[in-house]
Each structure stands twice: as C-alpha cells, then as structure tokens.
Amino acid sequence: AEVALNSVWVAPYLDRAGIVVETAPLQIVEARYERWAEPLGESLRRLLQVEIARTAGVVVTAAAGREGSELGVDVSVHEFHGDISGTARLIAEWTLQGRQGAARRFQFARSEQTQGDGYPALVASQLSLARQLGAAIGQSIVQHRAAATAAAP
C-alpha cells in the first residue's frame, strides 16, 4: 500500500533558522547561535515519512495527491518548542483522506522533560516527540486500513 504525505505545515513562528524557546507565557525567543541544519518543515517531513512507514508498514511518498496512493496525509504543526523549565512540547494535527469518503482529523499534544540542560537536550526531546507523532500517524493509518478491510463486503 502507498500513502502520500501531501503536506507538512509548520506554524510561522517555527519557520526560521534558529531553535525557538518560550521564555515567558506567549513570549518566544529565537536562539542566535543554535540553528536547525535545514528548514524545520523539510526535516519533519523526512522524519515523519520514515516513522509512518515503519509503524504502518506502508510506502510513504512525499508527492502530493499521488494517483496510486491509498491515503493522503496532511500534517499541521502548531507548537514545537521548549521552555526555560526544560520541557519540550509538540502540538500537531493531521488529516487522513482516502480515495472515497470523508477526511478524518486527529490531534497530538505531548510534552517531554529534557534529559539535561541546553539546546542539545532540548533537540533530543524534540526528536523523540517528532518520532512519537510519526508513530501516532502510522497507528491511525493501521486503524483506518483495518476498519476499511472490515467494512469491505
């Protein structure tokens, strides 16, 4: 089976080179010297492709709207940052769209305490959370496929 990862949208405050940290409620600061290796949306897309494929046992393509795809997935990342208390947070949602039928929407909201101080510990926790998101998306695909199989005549 093939699944198309149509889009991975990141909130505008994340669409920057520096890693962001919440220093006070509703106050986000971009790190001056601690930077992502590439645009965050591209990194997340690749990581999600791998994790979804691993969890769901499907081929995941990055081409939007692929004709042969059983399902399309659209992901929106609303929050993906740490705070000064050492907590990393990821809030996202995704939509599964089959060839026929209504789209199903899912939500993900988790936080994780960093294991140590500084940006390397924050990034390690963010990586863990992103992998958990990919696994959750993969599980939703497994459940969708099982329900579709059960409903087939």
Side-chain angles (χ1 to χ4, degrees):
E2 185 177 289
V3 172
L5 184 54
N6 294 327
S7 65
V8 177
W9 175 88
V10 296
Y13 85 96
L14 297 168
D15 195 14
R16 54 189 68 220
I19 296 169
V20 295
V21 175
E22 183 178 33
T23 56
L26 302 174
Q27 183 178 0
I28 298 289
V29 174
E30 179 181 6
R32 195 174 301 176
Y33 301 109
E34 304 296 332
R35 305 182 109 31
W36 296 112
E38 63 184 340
L40 184 58
E42 292 176 26
S43 293
L44 285 173
R45 173 184 284 281
R46 274 198 306 285
L47 183 138
L48 291 174
Q49 277 183 266
V50 170
E51 292 300 321
I52 293 167
R54 185 184 59 73
T55 303
V58 296
V59 174
V60 180
T61 64
R66 291 252 322 202
E67 287 294 318
S69 298
E70 175 185 341
L71 284 171
V73 181
D74 293 288
V75 181
S76 297
V77 177
H78 301 288
E79 293 187 23
F80 190 57
H81 61 265
D83 63 28
I84 57 174
S85 72
T87 301
R89 177 177 31 222
L90 173 55
I91 297 176
E93 61 185 11
W94 69 95
T95 303
L96 291 183
Q97 177 69 56
R99 289 188 191 128
Q100 299 91 17
R104 291 197 55 210
R105 182 174 228 94
F106 300 86
Q107 295 183 338
F108 180 94
R110 291 193 188 153
S111 60
E112 186 173 291
Q113 196 65 35
T114 60
Q115 301 300 307
D117 294 330
Y119 287 103
L122 171 59
V123 171
S125 290
Q126 288 178 302
L127 177 60
S128 171
L129 290 169
R131 286 186 171 138
Q132 291 173 47
L133 172 62
I137 295 169
Q139 276 300 324
S140 70
I141 291 169
V142 168
Q143 292 167 358
H144 174 86
R145 294 180 75 209
T149 301

